[in-house]
Amino acid sequence: MQLSKAYSHKDIEAKWYNHWMKSGLFEPTKGTGACFSMVIPPPNVTGSLHMGHALNNTLQDILCRYKRMDGYRVLWVPGTDHAGIATQNVVERQLAQKGISRTQLGREKFIEKVWQWKQEAGDAILHQLKALGISCDWSHERFTMDEGLSRAVREAFVQLWEDKLLYRAERLINWCPRCKTALADIEVVHEESDGNLWHIRYPFADDPSQALVVATTRPETMLGDTAVAVHPDDERYKNLIGKKIRLPITGRVVPLIADPFVDREFGSGALKITPGHDFNDFEIGERFGLDKISIFDAEARVDAAAFLARGESGEWIERYRGKDRFDARKLIVAELKENGFLEKTAVHKLAVGRCYRCQTVIEPYLTPQWFVDIKPLAEPATKVVRDGKIQIIPEGWSNSYFAWMENIKDWCISRQIWWGHQIPAWYCKRCDAANLITGPDGDYLLTKDAMPIVGRQAPQHCPKCDGKELIQDPDVLDTWFSSGLWPFSTLGWPDNTDDLKTFYPTSTLVTGFDILFFWVARMIMMGLKFMGEVPFRDVYIHALVRDEQGQKMSKSKGNVIDPLDVMNQYGTDAFRFTLAAMAAMGRDIRLAEDRIAGYQNFVNKLWNASRFVQMNLSGASDARDDGHDVLFDDKLELADRWIRSRLASTIVEARRAIEAYRFNDYANVLYRFTWHEFCDWYIEMSKLALNGTVGDDPAKSRKLLSELLDQILLLLHPIMPFVTEEIWQVFSDTRKSIMVQPYPTAPSTWIDADTETKMEFLMGVVRAIRNLRTEMNCPPGKEVKVIFYGQSADLSFLSEQRPYLRALARVGSAEFLSSGERPRGAATSVVGATEIYLPLDDLVNLDEEQVRLAKEVGKIEQELVRVQKKLGNDDFLSKAKEEVVEKEREKASQFEEKIRTLRSSLEKIREIQAGRS
RNA sequence: GGGCGGUUAGCUCAGCGGGAGAGCAUCGGCCUUACAAGCCGGGGGUCACAGGUUCAAAUCCUGUACCGCCCACCA
């Protein structure tokens, strides 16, 4: 088959992906060899693939393809996450467009709808992942809510319960009034915003003419105040402690208490205490046994019933009944102002907590929830990182990990939504009759005193009263509870499957830092708890993909670049190469489109180099695959030995880079070798061997060229799977996929320092001549005469390379002289110890050369001054390393020599010009 | 309030103790039979600022400024 004139990614990507899948190449090989396993960070089934996914999966795929080629049994488990709240929200929004609410639909019907959505969205995401070319084993695909994983979730829950690491309690939790569910602490995003600090006068009960001023950012919560606190040592208030205060509006009488938590410097130094709606106040309330009044309902509207239940009364209750918390705030401020209770209003910056799924301001809310007693899980999870059993890369993130783990609080895992794993706890309708309330959604609400019966399956009867009527806890689990089990639940846990035995612990986890706490930390805790072993050895944390301006990509900003668009336009290989090349450790990626275009050119370059190789191969009887690798030959030409040496270094560097997760180095090393060494120099030089000008065996050169190309394809395959496979297969449709070829290794004998030095000298000379030609406006096609002066060894070497000098620098005739008068009126350059002269015959060029030489001399003189200064420094001579000093000395003499040569050339040109004028 | 990262060529980024690099853009010259998505050559940077350590600092330390994250109960 013939490589087409231009590379078209569109035709080949799907072709090869299907081929790989059909051939089962993504599945781990049988046998007992060393394993490399990974689990994909499961994308949410909420939407489509974004740049973060593209980066994440590209990096994983690079590792997998590399390891697979390098002989490992690779298992990469793909799948998706049900993403509880996020997905429920998406579907709710969809329904809302049709004017349907989820409560109208009812729990069962609603969940059906979500499953429908999951089917569509999940398929779309998987399709996009496949377009990226990722080589995960689709026969292992899992979903966090499929049957097996749901069983794992129940098992984990029950085990935690049995080990007393799970409890149900009424506490102040983060409540999203829009999602109407509890959230874990990390699901709250704190965002600084401008607000007010209202200073409010709280009159004393016994003498309303006297008042204490409190400062608050949330005046509406004063409906739930049950105390005012000051610092015990505050001289201003010390003697007032214990007095009663009558709250404005509600008229509630509350005590003035003293607690060292209060900051005397802040506001007035007096703090209103609302234990039902503030985390600090809650704790102070606990210390003082204060009432906790829940003044809002689930949607954060004033709940009049809460006051009535306390026996409170007054027209204010009706005035505030059902008011949204922000409306209530306005009303309260207005009322306080009107009645002279508002001392002043100051602007104030504050951090408000928002729901990470819908950005609604969080309301601290008193409700019964399920919690994981986290300390016993966190401690071993901290230890394994500290002891290096798990390595976090880059290491800097381990500090964040430790800080978080050490300050971790109990994990609220119950969510008042419908989409997710329903909590495997049941309640006896008879025993818990008093604790069961029918809620507005039709779900039961359970009071804090309800008595759960936890089990792997629904119990048939109540173990206490033998009652047959049992209801399941309506709450579902935090979506991260199931993802925390992912590394082993996907391998078959709780059954002790072959997969689990073979591939757990997994080798590496590749993920973004945004889910370090949400997910990585939980997996480590759960892995240690349920498997008794870490879930992975390495955690590679990659950067965030931003737009060109460094902005986070988001729909609302309209700066989202769709990976599919990029892949369509530039090709998946170019896109993947860009991501890899820009994935420098510990730094965010600003995705610049012209960068992708640049790497598309690289794909094209590879394509054309391959065409060159193919053109030379075709028709030649000595094609490939005769079982003999010319690369291993002892007798090779200079250029051959050079490129082989460079190849060996490249292989070593590439392996080193990828093993250390330095994807950018990996990409760049290969880019440089392929383009700037193989294409720019070797191919050009090989043309002489191919046409018989150099060496005596064009067939050997053909073979060598194709072997080198193979090596390049193999090295590049992990990053650019499609184009490398296409080329690989075009060269021989009988050989197996490039995916299953061994990754290149570099025999140390290939590295040849002497040859590299010689080639560098030759390349330096070629560049110097090209440079002189350009500077002198010498037409590119015109052959020139060049005179070399230098040491005999260098000269005889250069003399041998005359065919190359002719081909690469258009040197026509050349003279090699070791001594004698230098030419008058010549363009001059110096490479190493060799002087290069291009005799000039016209006046214009003499002028230009004079200017050029003068400039060149100036430049070198500057450098010489710097080196001489160093060498004149005794401290440098005595303290610097020997080889550094030696290097400086060499530099100095080279510079001097160079200056001398250029000056004398310059002098000669001046003489000529003086003679002419 | 703590912690982390960034500040290098016009743009996007490598380099992280011993002569400032890449890609793109730019300028000049080339249709040299793999490639004009290319080839050859050039220009362009007191490596944010101020101190310090060192014979030697873009590179290590301290501080400042600006930018960006993460964490945190100061109402």
Side-chain angles (χ1 to χ4, degrees):
Chain A
M1 219 170 91
Q2 194 74 25
L3 284 167
S4 59
K5 181 130 176 116
Y7 171 65
S8 168
H9 61 268
K10 286 189 177 131
D11 303 336
I12 67 147
E13 293 181 0
K15 174 182 80 180
W16 287 120
Y17 199 82
N18 289 331
H19 174 79
W20 293 329
M21 270 215 298
K22 261 189 274 164
S23 315
L25 297 180
F26 297 159
E27 290 158 33
T29 51
K30 306 278 180 279
T32 53
C35 293
F36 180 84
S37 57
M38 290 200 305
V39 289
I40 199 173
N44 293 348
V45 289
T46 44
S48 55
L49 191 86
H50 57 66
M51 279 296 165
H53 295 125
L55 172 68
N56 178 249
N57 287 290
T58 295
L59 300 185
Q60 291 178 80
D61 194 46
I62 291 171
L63 290 176
C64 275
R65 286 178 184 272
Y66 165 69
K67 287 290 181 181
R68 196 178 289 119
M69 291 171 82
D70 209 24
Y72 288 79
R73 298 176 62 202
V74 172
L75 173 65
W76 183 13
V77 179
T80 46
D81 193 304
H82 69 282
I85 301 172
T87 309
Q88 172 155 333
N89 283 353
V90 170
V91 176
E92 272 190 83
R93 238 177 281 139
Q94 267 192 338
L95 288 173
Q97 282 177 353
K98 296 183 205 152
I100 310 168
S101 76
R102 80 167 145 118
T103 44
Q104 271 173 285
L105 219 53
R107 185 163 189 152
E108 235 168 274
K109 284 259 167 58
F110 178 76
I111 289 176
E112 260 174 50
K113 288 271 178 209
V114 187
W115 273 106
Q116 271 173 29
W117 161 271
K118 181 263 158 189
Q119 214 56 49
E120 293 160 28
D123 285 355
I125 284 176
L126 298 178
H127 169 76
Q128 288 168 312
L129 285 174
K130 287 173 183 170
L132 253 185
I134 66 172
S135 61
C136 45
D137 178 0
W138 296 103
S139 70
H140 272 80
E141 183 196 334
R142 305 308 294 268
F143 175 56
T144 48
M145 269 173 68
D146 67 25
E147 214 178 299
L149 270 65
S150 297
R151 186 158 74 93
V153 165
R154 287 196 299 275
E155 178 66 29
F157 188 92
V158 172
Q159 281 193 28
L160 288 172
W161 173 259
E162 285 169 350
D163 293 344
K164 308 242 179 316
L165 292 171
L166 218 50
Y167 63 93
R168 201 169 167 276
E170 185 171 67
R171 286 208 187 153
L172 208 51
I173 44 84
N174 303 291
W175 182 264
C176 174
R178 203 219 61 84
C179 302
K180 286 189 274 179
T181 180
L183 296 173
D185 293 342
I186 45 170
E187 291 175 310
V188 178
V189 184
H190 293 272
E191 187 185 72
E192 185 156 285
S193 68
D194 294 318
N196 288 315
L197 189 60
W198 285 277
H199 294 247
I200 305 168
R201 299 166 57 85
Y202 275 20
F204 289 103
D206 56 357
D207 180 4
S209 66
Q210 300 295 307
L212 203 58
V213 173
V214 300
T216 181
T217 55
R218 297 200 57 197
E220 70 279 13
T221 62
M222 68 185 286
L223 299 180
D225 282 1
T226 51
V228 173
V230 293
H231 193 279
D233 302 329
D234 193 326
E235 294 300 330
R236 293 170 295 181
Y237 306 122
K238 225 173 171 173
N239 54 353
L240 299 173
I241 294 163
K243 288 189 73 142
K244 299 285 189 228
I245 282 164
R246 186 181 299 279
L247 297 174
I249 299 174
T250 60
R252 188 179 305 137
V253 174
V254 301
L256 179 61
I257 59 174
D259 191 281
F261 168 79
V262 179
D263 179 357
R264 277 167 283 187
E265 308 297 316
F266 191 91
S268 60
L271 174 62
K272 66 189 266 310
I273 303 297
T274 321
H277 292 280
D278 183 280
F279 290 100
N280 294 319
D281 295 5
F282 180 85
E283 282 180 21
I284 294 175
E286 289 281 272
R287 286 200 281 276
F288 287 84
L290 300 172
D291 281 359
K292 307 174 187 87
I293 312 174
S294 223
I295 65 169
F296 297 125
D297 62 16
E299 292 176 60
R301 294 173 307 208
V302 176
D303 184 10
F307 308 114
L308 298 173
R310 289 171 52 84
E312 296 187 337
S313 59
E315 50 170 355
W316 63 272
I317 295 182
E318 287 315 310
R319 218 162 45 240
Y320 285 94
R321 176 191 288 273
K323 282 236 160 12
D324 173 79
R325 56 191 162 156
F326 298 110
D327 295 336
R329 177 182 299 177
K330 281 183 205 143
L331 187 56
I332 283 199
V333 170
E335 235 177 281
L336 290 172
K337 198 169 174 184
E338 197 182 313
N339 297 315
F341 290 112
L342 189 63
E343 173 101 351
K344 67 171 177 181
T345 306
V347 290
H348 183 68
K349 279 210 193 306
L350 68 156
V352 293
R354 291 175 184 274
C355 171
Y356 82 139
R357 289 305 189 203
C358 75
Q359 281 72 53
T360 301
V361 175
I362 289 302
E363 187 61 46
Y365 197 42
L366 199 59
T367 46
Q369 302 288 347
W370 288 90
F371 294 89
V372 175
D373 178 9
I374 206 77
K375 281 258 149 64
L377 299 175
E379 273 162 24
T382 311
K383 193 169 184 301
V384 290
V385 175
R386 222 179 269 294
D387 295 350
K389 286 197 74 181
I390 291 179
Q391 211 188 343
I392 298 181
I393 304 145
E395 210 196 328
W397 288 107
S398 41
N399 280 332
S400 300
Y401 178 79
F402 294 139
W404 192 72
M405 290 301 258
E406 278 153 18
N407 296 311
I408 198 167
K409 300 222 179 82
D410 283 357
W411 177 15
C412 175
I413 52 167
S414 42
R415 297 289 178 273
Q416 289 66 50
I417 57 171
W418 289 344
W419 176 242
H421 303 98
Q422 200 168 348
I423 289 179
W426 287 263
Y427 303 87
C428 172
K429 266 191 162 175
R430 197 186 304 164
C431 298
D432 269 331
N435 299 321
L436 291 169
I437 308 157
T438 309
D441 293 358
D443 282 338
Y444 282 103
L445 292 179
L446 302 156
T447 71
K448 64 177 168 28
D449 300 315
M451 296 167 288
I453 305 158
V454 171
R456 289 168 181 84
Q457 281 101 32
Q460 297 304 307
H461 55 85
C462 170
K464 265 192 220 138
C465 74
D466 207 34
K468 298 284 187 292
E469 278 196 279
L470 295 148
I471 56 142
Q472 188 171 4
D473 196 313
D475 289 357
V476 301
L477 287 166
D478 181 358
T479 201
W480 298 102
F481 188 92
S482 56
S483 13
L485 312 175
W486 187 250
F488 46 97
S489 65
T490 52
L491 294 175
W493 189 86
D495 296 333
N496 191 19
T497 59
D498 285 344
D499 275 349
L500 204 57
K501 282 183 268 188
T502 310
F503 295 110
Y504 191 94
T506 65
S507 313
T508 298
L509 180 82
V510 177
T511 189
F513 61 79
D514 49 334
I515 50 175
L516 181 61
F517 306 135
F518 280 109
W519 191 45
V520 180
R522 265 85 176 257
M523 282 191 287
I524 296 175
M525 291 190 279
M526 301 289 221
L528 290 169
K529 170 69 187 162
F530 296 112
M531 294 296 297
E533 177 60 283
V534 296
F536 28 70
R537 305 292 184 197
D538 287 357
V539 179
Y540 175 68
I541 302 205
H542 63 247
L544 226 59
V545 183
R546 299 172 176 279
D547 74 2
E548 222 161 323
Q549 276 71 46
Q551 301 280 319
K552 204 167 167 172
M553 289 188 191
S554 74
K555 277 185 196 148
S556 55
K557 284 184 202 142
N559 62 346
V560 176
I561 305 175
D562 185 340
L564 276 186
D565 290 346
V566 174
M567 287 187 261
N568 275 327
Q569 190 178 348
Y570 301 100
T572 301
D573 290 319
F575 178 48
R576 288 172 53 123
F577 200 95
T578 310
L579 292 174
M582 299 191 76
M585 238 181 241
R587 192 163 165 156
D588 284 350
I589 296 175
R590 293 195 195 189
L591 193 67
E593 258 195 86
D594 57 7
R595 198 75 191 255
I596 308 172
Y599 289 120
Q600 187 187 17
N601 294 351
F602 177 62
V603 174
N604 193 246
K605 188 76 178 175
L606 178 67
W607 184 261
N608 282 309
S610 306
R611 283 181 60 222
F612 174 79
V613 174
Q614 188 177 45
M615 282 172 67
N616 282 286
L617 243 44
S618 63
S621 55
D622 50 270
R624 305 157 66 108
D625 299 339
D626 65 353
H628 173 65
D629 285 335
V630 185
L631 261 177
F632 287 87
D633 270 20
D634 297 334
K635 274 185 65 189
L636 290 176
E637 297 295 324
L638 171 77
D640 304 334
R641 289 198 311 273
W642 171 74
I643 196 71
R644 186 172 69 177
S645 182
R646 294 305 309 141
L647 171 67
S649 301
T650 302
I651 292 170
V652 169
E653 282 175 55
R655 281 178 172 272
R656 205 180 293 153
I658 197 170
E659 295 281 353
Y661 305 102
R662 288 183 285 111
F663 296 96
N664 61 321
D665 287 346
Y666 182 62
N668 285 325
V669 157
L670 298 182
Y671 183 97
R672 187 154 315 175
F673 177 74
T674 304
W675 196 316
H676 296 303
E677 296 184 314
F678 182 68
C679 290
D680 285 353
W681 289 96
Y682 184 73
I683 283 190
E684 290 308 316
M685 291 173 80
S686 75
K687 287 174 182 173
L688 301 189
L690 291 168
N691 69 20
T693 310
V694 170
D696 51 6
D697 191 358
K700 193 169 173 180
S701 289
R702 282 195 286 274
K703 199 120 193 302
L704 204 43
L705 213 43
S706 90
E707 282 174 23
L708 283 161
L709 179 64
D710 280 355
Q711 295 285 304
I712 288 170
L713 293 173
L714 292 166
L715 287 166
L716 283 170
H717 180 258
I719 311 186
M720 307 201 303
F722 294 114
V723 69
T724 50
E725 180 78 296
E726 175 73 7
I727 298 169
W728 183 264
Q729 297 283 348
V730 160
F731 271 101
S732 162
D733 40 23
T734 57
R735 58 180 172 180
K736 284 189 188 146
S737 166
I738 192 170
M739 270 189 71
V740 295
Q741 306 297 328
Y743 198 82
T745 50
S748 57
T749 51
W750 286 4
I751 294 190
D752 183 346
D754 181 52
T755 295
E756 289 203 31
T757 306
K758 280 184 175 142
M759 261 300 285
E760 267 155 36
F761 176 55
L762 177 60
M763 292 190 292
V765 169
V766 168
R767 273 193 278 252
I769 297 169
R770 283 171 175 173
N771 184 328
L772 291 178
R773 295 176 57 109
T774 302
E775 295 286 343
M776 294 306 106
N777 301 313
C778 178
K782 189 183 164 195
E783 293 203 332
V784 291
K785 179 183 179 181
V786 179
I787 304 163
F788 298 95
Y789 283 86
Q791 290 159 8
S792 59
D794 289 342
L795 293 179
S796 67
F797 169 75
L798 281 179
S799 170
E800 286 164 22
Q801 310 307 324
R802 277 164 84 164
Y804 290 128
L805 292 175
R806 180 189 294 273
L808 302 174
R810 302 273 152 178
V811 174
S813 61
E815 285 179 43
F816 301 92
L817 306 170
S818 52
S819 62
E821 182 72 5
R822 299 326 192 233
R824 283 167 56 86
T828 312
S829 188
V830 181
V831 175
T834 304
E835 300 166 22
I836 302 168
Y837 296 92
L838 272 72
L840 299 171
D841 42 16
D842 73 83
L843 210 55
V844 179
N845 277 346
L846 282 182
D847 286 344
E848 281 179 9
E849 177 65 359
Q850 187 185 331
V851 172
R852 196 189 70 83
L853 282 175
K855 211 169 130 194
E856 184 76 14
V857 168
K859 238 194 254 173
I860 300 169
E861 273 175 342
Q862 269 184 0
E863 294 193 52
L864 180 61
V865 166
R866 207 169 35 194
V867 175
Q868 280 173 335
K869 208 167 146 192
K870 264 191 185 175
L871 291 169
N873 183 340
D874 287 339
D875 283 331
F876 173 72
L877 296 177
S878 59
K879 288 182 185 165
K881 275 181 286 184
E882 190 91 16
E883 63 256 37
V884 175
V885 176
E886 193 43 46
K887 211 172 148 192
E888 293 298 312
R889 285 214 174 92
E890 258 173 52
K891 265 194 261 177
S893 70
Q894 277 194 9
F895 288 151
E896 281 164 0
E897 183 61 34
K898 212 164 170 174
I899 290 170
R900 208 172 304 134
T901 304
L902 298 181
R903 274 225 180 101
S904 101
S905 237
L906 190 55
E907 201 45 50
K908 285 181 175 132
I909 290 173
R910 283 191 181 132
E911 280 169 24
I912 294 170
Q913 288 182 322
R916 285 195 181 159
S917 58

